[in-house]
């Protein structure tokens, strides 16, 4: 009996020892996992600290970069201010010299230009243009009068050639000979005018007293000239100053539904105005006849349109008149001459 009790106790002790070993093994395993977690946490904390250090360095770099950019912006703003002042001073000097040249060569005005055009059946008609007061538009008036007195609008092939619907555009000799209008004249057509400084204005001169209303005259292009146009409608919104376009945008007068809007409203607002330097005082019916009766390439069927080649640059504009209106001559006349002509007609 004693032996059996001893055996039972031995078995129980072995079971207890086995359980203790299992428990110890389990605890050791848990301790190992905790150590692994502790190591992982330490690594994560180290990485976070490193990232924090990187972020602090980046923040410092960004702060320094922003400060440098602010300094650059301030410098650029100052430079733009200086350039603006210098530009205005230069325009003022050009205007002053132009005004003196107009007074010296053509007198104080009013300056009236006679434009003789040839319509159908060799019929000659006159359009009289009264130029702006040279005190207000000195540079544009001087350029235009100089072009006329130099003969660029009376010799060769000057003509009214374009009618996009809102203007009638004219170009001087050698207008009809250029490749842009179907001719064979190579290179720059106005090289002679450019050589003497009469091909374009030096800046987009504008005065609010001469808005682009119907029957007024303006220079085309950027910079304006030598081509000029007759406004067939009030084009102040399209050809006038940025303030007018900005106001129209704010009021909703132009926008995505406007046919004349190009989609880039900001760019449209920033475009400088065309110089408007005169108005028609006689020959309104002549301008109306040309704009209403003379057809453009847009009116022709596609098969009737001539092409000058396969290149895109060789495609003629649909705004070109099929039959350009030849400018026979342009001359500067005095107010007395026009008054005498009217008196003679009244007597007849």
């Amino acid at each position: 009996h004693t032996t059996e009790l001893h055996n039972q106790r031995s078995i129980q002790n072995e079971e207890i020892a086995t359980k203790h070993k299992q428990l110890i093994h389990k605890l050791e395993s848990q301790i190992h996992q905790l150590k692994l977690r502790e190591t992982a946490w330490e690594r994560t904390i180290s990485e976070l600290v490193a990232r924090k250090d990187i972020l602090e360095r980046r923040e410092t770099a960004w702060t320094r970069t922003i400060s440098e950019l602010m300094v650059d912006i301030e410098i650029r703003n100052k430079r733009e201010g200086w350039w603006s002042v210098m530009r205005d001073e230069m325009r003022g000097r050009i205007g002053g010299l132009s005004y003196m040249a107009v007074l010296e060569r053509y007198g104080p005005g009013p300056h009236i230009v006679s434009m003789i055009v040839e319509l159908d059946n060799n019929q000659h008609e006159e359009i009289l243009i009264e130029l702006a007061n040279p005190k207000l538009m000195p540079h544009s008036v001087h350029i235009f009068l100089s072009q006329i007195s130099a003969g660029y609008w009376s010799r060769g092939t000057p003509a009214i050639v374009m009618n996009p619907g809102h203007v009638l555009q004219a170009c001087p000799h050698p207008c009809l000979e250029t490749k842009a209008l179907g001719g064979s004249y190579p290179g720059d057509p106005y090289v002679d005018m450019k050589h003497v400084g009469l091909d374009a204005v030096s800046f987009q001169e504008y005065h609010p007293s001469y808005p682009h209303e119907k029957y007024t005259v303006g220079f085309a292009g950027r910079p304006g000239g030598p081509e000029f146009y007759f406004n067939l409608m009030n084009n102040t919104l399209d050809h006038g100053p940025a303030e007018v376009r900005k106001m129209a945008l704010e009021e909703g007068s132009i926008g995505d539904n406007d046919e004349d809007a190009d989609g880039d409203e900001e760019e449209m607002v920033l475009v400088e105005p065309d110089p408007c330097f005169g108005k028609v005082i006689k020959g309104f019916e002549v301008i109306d006849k040309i704009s209403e009766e003379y057809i453009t390439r847009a009116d022709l069927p596609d098969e009737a349109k001539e092409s000058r080649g396969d290149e895109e640059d060789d495609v003629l504009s649909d705004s070109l008149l099929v039959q350009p209106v030849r400018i026979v001559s342009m001359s500067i006349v005095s107010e007395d001459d026009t008054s005498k002509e009217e008196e003679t007609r009244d007597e007849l």
Side-chain angles (χ1 to χ4, degrees):
H1 182 70
T2 303
T3 304
E4 290 179 356
L5 290 173
H6 180 73
N7 290 336
Q8 290 178 355
R9 289 178 179 175
S10 297
I11 292 171
Q12 290 176 352
N13 290 335
E14 289 177 359
E15 291 177 352
I16 292 171
T18 301
K19 291 181 178 180
H20 285 167
K21 287 180 180 179
Q22 292 176 349
L23 181 60
I24 291 170
H25 179 71
K26 186 177 180 180
L27 290 172
E28 288 177 347
S29 177
Q30 291 178 349
I31 290 170
H32 179 68
Q33 290 179 359
L34 289 172
K35 288 182 177 180
L36 290 176
R37 289 180 181 178
E38 182 180 5
T39 302
W41 276 109
E42 288 177 353
R43 185 167 59 249
T44 301
I45 291 171
S46 299
E47 291 175 355
L48 289 174
V49 170
R51 290 182 181 179
K52 179 186 176 184
D53 184 57
I54 292 173
L55 290 174
E56 288 178 348
R57 290 180 181 177
R58 287 180 179 175
E59 184 179 2
T60 302
W62 276 110
T63 302
R64 186 169 57 251
T65 302
I66 291 172
S67 299
E68 292 174 353
L69 288 174
M70 293 298 292
V71 172
D72 288 344
I73 291 173
E74 185 178 356
I75 292 174
R76 289 185 180 181
N77 288 337
K78 288 182 179 179
R79 286 178 178 174
E80 288 180 3
W82 295 334
W83 278 113
S84 179
V85 171
M86 292 174 64
R87 180 197 63 196
D88 292 342
E89 289 180 353
M90 185 60 66
R91 289 181 175 182
R93 291 179 182 178
I94 293 173
L97 292 173
S98 298
Y99 178 67
M100 292 174 61
V102 169
L103 291 182
E104 182 178 344
R105 291 193 61 188
Y106 311 106
H111 302 98
I112 299 175
V113 172
S114 172
M115 179 179 183
I116 307 297
V117 296
E118 184 177 275
L119 302 182
D120 299 328
N121 301 321
N122 296 324
Q123 177 185 358
H124 287 188
E125 296 288 350
E126 183 182 42
I127 300 171
L128 286 182
I129 305 168
E130 182 179 326
L131 302 188
N133 189 326
K135 291 182 179 180
L136 304 180
M137 295 291 291
H139 184 43
S140 301
V141 169
H142 176 249
I143 287 288
F144 193 58
L145 290 175
S146 298
Q147 291 175 354
I148 293 171
S149 61
Y152 293 108
W153 291 98
S154 298
R155 67 170 182 265
T157 58
I160 297 174
V161 293
M162 297 187 73
N163 179 11
H166 64 296
V167 297
L168 275 181
Q169 185 166 319
C171 62
H173 174 74
C175 179
L176 300 182
E177 302 168 26
T178 64
K179 286 189 174 182
L181 297 176
S184 58
Y185 193 99
D188 187 349
Y190 305 126
V191 62
D192 292 339
M193 299 178 73
K194 184 176 292 185
H195 181 69
V196 294
L198 295 178
D199 59 311
V201 293
S202 300
F203 62 94
Q204 297 299 102
E205 188 179 40
Y206 187 83
H207 196 279
S209 297
Y210 286 87
H212 285 271
E213 296 177 344
K214 188 174 182 179
Y215 298 122
T216 55
V217 181
F219 276 128
R222 296 287 189 285
E227 297 91 347
F228 73 88
Y229 55 79
F230 297 100
N231 285 299
L232 300 179
M233 60 181 68
N234 190 333
N235 289 313
T236 304
L237 191 62
D238 295 321
H239 300 169
E243 294 79 9
V244 175
R245 288 187 289 275
K246 185 176 181 181
M247 186 180 301
L249 285 172
E250 292 173 352
E251 294 175 352
S253 302
I254 54 175
D256 295 335
N257 295 327
D258 196 307
E259 294 182 357
D260 295 329
D262 296 329
D264 193 339
E265 295 179 352
E266 183 177 354
E267 182 178 351
M268 184 170 60
V269 168
L270 293 176
V271 173
E272 287 191 298
D274 290 346
C276 186
F277 57 91
K279 60 183 179 181
V280 175
I281 58 174
K282 176 190 170 186
F284 303 99
E285 70 285 352
V286 180
I287 293 174
D288 293 340
K289 179 180 177 66
I290 297 171
S291 64
E292 295 169 5
E293 298 182 12
Y294 282 66
I295 65 172
T296 64
R297 283 173 48 83
D299 300 317
L300 299 175
D302 291 339
E303 58 271 14
K305 296 179 181 179
E306 297 179 0
S307 177
R308 291 179 291 120
D310 298 330
E311 298 181 7
E312 291 184 1
D313 292 341
D314 289 335
V315 177
L316 297 176
S317 171
D318 283 346
S319 299
L320 290 173
L321 294 177
V322 175
Q323 180 183 348
V325 177
R326 188 170 76 90
I327 298 174
V328 178
S329 66
M330 290 186 72
S331 59
I332 305 167
V333 297
S334 66
E335 191 173 17
D336 293 337
D337 293 337
T338 58
S339 299
K340 289 178 181 178
E341 181 181 353
E342 291 177 358
E343 290 176 1
T344 302
R345 290 188 176 182
D346 292 339
E347 290 176 359
L348 293 173

